[in-house]
């Protein structure tokens, strides 16, 4: 434990350690704390003490961005506030506390046994250059699709987004990742209530401007939503059965929002002699591993007249970095690994293992990057190894690994694109993809006439 052993759950359950777990000191150290006799204040303070100790024990260089004294003072301040806070407000305090660590993989997940924590609005939001918009909805709210959100509970949308931004962790000051996460968290009405934005956890008023330009105020009710079986319920995906705005537009769906639930897929654009490969999650599909998929894609490229390969990872939030090698090696060895023939689309959703992939491509290939800056930095702290707070049963994740996708002294906040294409609602409402258009318009160093 002193050396940072990760898996407390295993220590808590491994039969080989049963005798050790009879020792009260061991039980306290591994989080097997009896809390039934504690008052609410005592229980939450025991959780906070345990959390602070785990941060110091397991986090990678936890005090690189704030001093240990500053962190300890913040812990003490939150401890004093506990009697005056609801459980949701304490969770907000935990987020604020942990944001000091500079670790975008930080997470505080609410226990599933409390449905009041899982009240979500029946619409999905996304942030564009023009502002905040509703981009998907439960069929009963489909009339709101495409509307710009001007106010939430009477507060300007910008003010609400700033309040949420303050509790979203990020890597090395990267402001891109919050642009991706904050609109998702806007659906969480208990969170808005804890932040003082919504008057209650049941309903909230939105002031919107619809596609015709008319302004209106609508009241939305938040309903209990069971934890999703798929992690891909964020923009541009959405819960099963919902309506997405791009599907309501008369023009065909652009590739980048077509098969967003799939971890990877590709298509051939014969007129442009271009293979478009969308890579949405660094994982193995049940019916085809990433390694087998890589073989199939490059087999197709070798058998056809292909001038250009586009790899789209703008929505890839990561997964298992160690699965990347077969795809990376295929790209490096490809005849398309030439300046002007290999393009990679990145953005605010490019994160974790996908950030590692971006760094490896930048270091080992001739790729031209397109889109927005990535949602993480080339050198970042990250890993998913959650532990449970004994009293509240909140699940907390704190990372213990330093990832260096490029070189040790790469202190960039993100990897920026060469071809910078802003995500605008004007393009989204017309089913246009500015990133793909920029690629098709680029002829830099392309061989041939």
């Amino acid at each position: 434990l002193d050396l940072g052993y990760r898996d407390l759950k295993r220590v808590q359950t491994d039969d080989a350690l049963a005798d050790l777990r009879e020792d009260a000191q061991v039980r306290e150290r591994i989080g097997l704390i009896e809390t039934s006799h504690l008052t609410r204040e005592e229980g939450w303070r025991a959780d906070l003490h345990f959390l602070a100790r785990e941060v110091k024990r397991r986090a990678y260089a936890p005090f690189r961005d704030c001093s240990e004294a500053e962190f300890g003072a913040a812990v003490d301040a939150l401890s004093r506030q506990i009697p005056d806070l609801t459980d949701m407000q304490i969770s907000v305090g935990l987020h604020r506390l942990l944001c000091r660590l500079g670790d975008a993989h930080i997470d505080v997940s609410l226990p599933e046994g409390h449905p009041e924590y899982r009240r979500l609005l029946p619409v999905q939001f996304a942030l564009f250059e023009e502002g905040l918009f509703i981009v998907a909805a439960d069929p009963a709210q489909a009339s709101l699709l495409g509307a710009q959100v001007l106010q939430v509970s009477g507060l300007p949308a910008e003010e609400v987004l700033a309040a949420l931004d303050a509790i979203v962790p990020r890597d090395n000051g990267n402001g891109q990742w919050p642009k991706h996460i904050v609109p998702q968290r806007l659906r969480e009405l208990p969170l808005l209530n804890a932040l003082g934005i919504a008057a209650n956890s049941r309903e909230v008023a939105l002031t919107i401007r619809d596609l015709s330009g008319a302004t209106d105020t609508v009241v939305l009710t938040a309903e209990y939503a069971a934890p999703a079986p798929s992690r891909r319920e964020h923009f541009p995906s959405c819960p099963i059965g919902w309506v997405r705005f791009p599907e309501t537009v008369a023009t065909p769906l652009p590739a980048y929002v077509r098969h967003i639930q799939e971890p990877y897929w590709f298509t051939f654009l014969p007129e442009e002699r271009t293979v478009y490969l969308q890579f949405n999650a660094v994982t193995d599909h049940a019916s085809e591993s990433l390694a087998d998929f890589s073989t199939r894609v490059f087999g197709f490229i070798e058998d056809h007249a292909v001038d250009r390969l586009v790899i789209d990872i703008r929505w890839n939030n990561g997964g298992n970095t160690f699965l990347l090698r077969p795809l990376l090696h295929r790209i490096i060895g490809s005849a398309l690994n030439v300046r002007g023939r290999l393009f990679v689309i990145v953005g605010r959703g490019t994160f974790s293992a996908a950030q590692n992939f971006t760094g490896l491509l930048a270091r080992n290939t001739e790729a031209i990057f397109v889109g927005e800056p990535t949602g993480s930095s080339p050198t970042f702290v990250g890993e998913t190894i959650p532990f449970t707070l004994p009293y509240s049963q909140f699940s907390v994740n704190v990372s213990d690994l330093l990832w260096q996708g490029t070189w040790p002294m790469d202190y960039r906040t993100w990897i920026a694109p060469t071809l910078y294409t802003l995500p605008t609602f004007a393009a989204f409402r017309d089913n246009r993809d500015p990133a793909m258009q920029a690629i098709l318009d680029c002829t830099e160093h392309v061989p041939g006439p």
Side-chain angles (χ1 to χ4, degrees):
L1 291 174
D2 288 344
L3 291 172
Y5 183 77
R6 296 170 150 196
D7 193 352
L8 284 185
K9 191 70 173 177
R10 181 173 181 181
V11 181
Q12 293 170 354
T13 58
D14 194 322
D15 290 342
L17 303 178
D19 291 345
L20 282 176
R21 288 195 297 270
E22 294 178 5
D23 184 282
Q25 185 180 8
V26 171
R27 293 179 64 82
E28 196 275 338
R29 284 213 63 187
I30 65 176
L32 287 178
I33 303 170
E34 178 55 51
T35 62
S36 60
H37 65 288
L38 300 179
T39 66
R40 175 181 180 273
E41 293 177 24
E42 292 170 339
W44 268 116
R45 284 179 173 140
D47 277 359
L48 188 56
H49 172 75
F50 182 69
L51 169 65
R53 191 178 66 193
E54 282 299 287
V55 166
K56 295 176 184 179
R57 186 183 75 81
R58 69 162 74 196
Y60 178 87
F63 306 119
R64 63 193 183 279
D65 291 334
C66 76
S67 71
E68 186 170 358
E70 290 171 332
F71 185 78
V75 170
D76 292 342
L78 179 56
S79 180
R80 290 192 297 270
Q81 295 167 1
I82 284 174
D84 302 320
L85 301 177
T86 66
D87 288 356
M88 278 299 301
Q89 288 171 330
I90 293 173
S91 78
V92 169
L94 295 178
H95 275 101
R96 287 199 176 103
L97 174 68
L98 295 172
C99 277
R100 297 168 177 267
L101 302 180
D103 171 7
H105 283 72
I106 288 287
D107 186 44
V108 180
S109 300
L110 308 177
E112 294 183 10
H114 296 268
E116 68 272 18
Y117 295 150
R118 288 280 306 175
R119 291 192 173 276
L120 305 180
L121 293 175
V123 295
Q124 185 184 67
F125 306 94
L127 192 58
F128 297 89
E129 286 301 301
E130 300 94 331
L132 182 70
F133 291 81
I134 295 174
V135 293
D138 180 276
Q141 306 296 337
S143 63
L144 301 178
L145 289 172
Q148 182 175 2
V149 180
L150 305 176
Q151 294 182 342
V152 179
S153 195
L155 298 173
E158 296 79 8
E159 185 176 327
V160 174
L161 295 175
L164 288 166
D165 183 274
I167 62 169
V168 173
R170 65 210 69 194
D171 295 326
N172 304 323
N174 184 306
Q176 286 290 97
W177 182 240
K179 291 180 184 178
H180 184 62
I181 293 296
V182 164
Q184 299 173 39
R185 304 222 63 183
L186 188 56
R187 293 187 60 212
E188 302 175 31
L189 205 49
L191 176 61
L192 298 187
N193 175 245
L195 287 168
I197 295 168
N200 59 67
S201 299
R202 297 281 179 166
E203 61 182 25
V204 69
L206 302 181
T207 302
I208 61 171
R209 180 188 295 124
D210 66 23
L211 289 169
S212 71
T215 302
D216 192 13
T217 297
V218 296
V219 176
L220 294 181
T221 301
E223 301 291 345
Y224 168 72
S230 167
R231 69 188 187 93
R232 299 197 61 76
E233 285 204 345
H234 51 75
F235 175 76
S237 185
C238 64
I240 295 173
W242 280 26
V243 183
R244 297 190 300 162
F245 178 78
E247 295 164 350
T248 68
V249 178
T251 54
L253 278 177
Y256 83 109
V257 294
R258 198 176 299 162
H259 300 299
I260 199 66
Q261 287 285 355
E262 298 298 328
Y264 32 77
W265 66 280
F266 79 96
T267 188
F268 182 52
L269 310 177
E271 291 186 10
E272 295 83 4
R273 294 163 64 102
T274 295
V275 166
Y276 171 85
L277 188 166
Q278 190 174 56
F279 187 18
N280 294 321
V282 188
T283 186
D284 281 330
H285 192 279
S287 62
E288 183 181 36
S289 70
L290 180 56
D292 289 344
F293 172 77
S294 304
T295 299
R296 180 162 64 90
V297 170
F298 283 90
F300 178 92
I301 290 173
E302 291 165 4
D303 292 341
H304 294 77
V306 178
D307 288 342
R308 186 189 292 111
L309 171 62
V310 177
I311 303 172
D312 189 349
I313 54 175
R314 77 186 89 178
W315 309 123
N316 194 324
N317 294 167
N320 184 352
T321 295
F322 297 103
L323 296 177
L324 288 170
R325 180 179 290 182
L327 177 58
L328 179 66
H329 284 187
R330 285 284 189 169
I331 296 168
I332 293 172
S334 171
L336 296 179
N337 183 15
V338 175
R339 183 80 174 177
R341 303 187 71 180
L342 175 62
F343 296 84
V344 178
I345 303 176
V346 294
R348 62 189 68 173
T350 307
F351 182 75
S352 193
Q355 177 66 53
N356 285 334
F357 187 49
T358 306
L360 292 168
L361 290 173
R363 185 174 182 177
N364 295 288
T365 75
E366 297 297 325
I368 294 174
F369 290 92
V370 186
E372 299 182 277
T374 57
S376 184
S377 51
T379 300
F380 66 92
V381 174
E383 195 70 358
T384 303
I385 41 170
F387 58 93
T388 302
L389 301 182
Y391 170 75
S392 64
Q393 294 297 295
F394 280 34
S395 177
V396 178
N397 188 69
V398 176
S399 305
D400 66 348
L401 290 182
L402 178 69
W403 291 92
Q404 296 172 314
T406 53
W407 59 89
M409 295 182 67
D410 189 344
Y411 299 125
R412 287 177 293 173
T413 304
W414 48 53
I415 291 180
T418 299
L419 299 178
Y420 184 34
T421 56
L422 295 171
T424 66
F425 185 74
F428 185 73
R429 71 176 293 173
D430 293 338
N431 272 343
R432 292 185 290 109
D433 181 3
M436 196 63 183
Q437 190 58 56
I439 291 170
L440 297 179
D441 289 343
C442 179
T443 57
E444 180 181 355
H445 301 305
V446 174

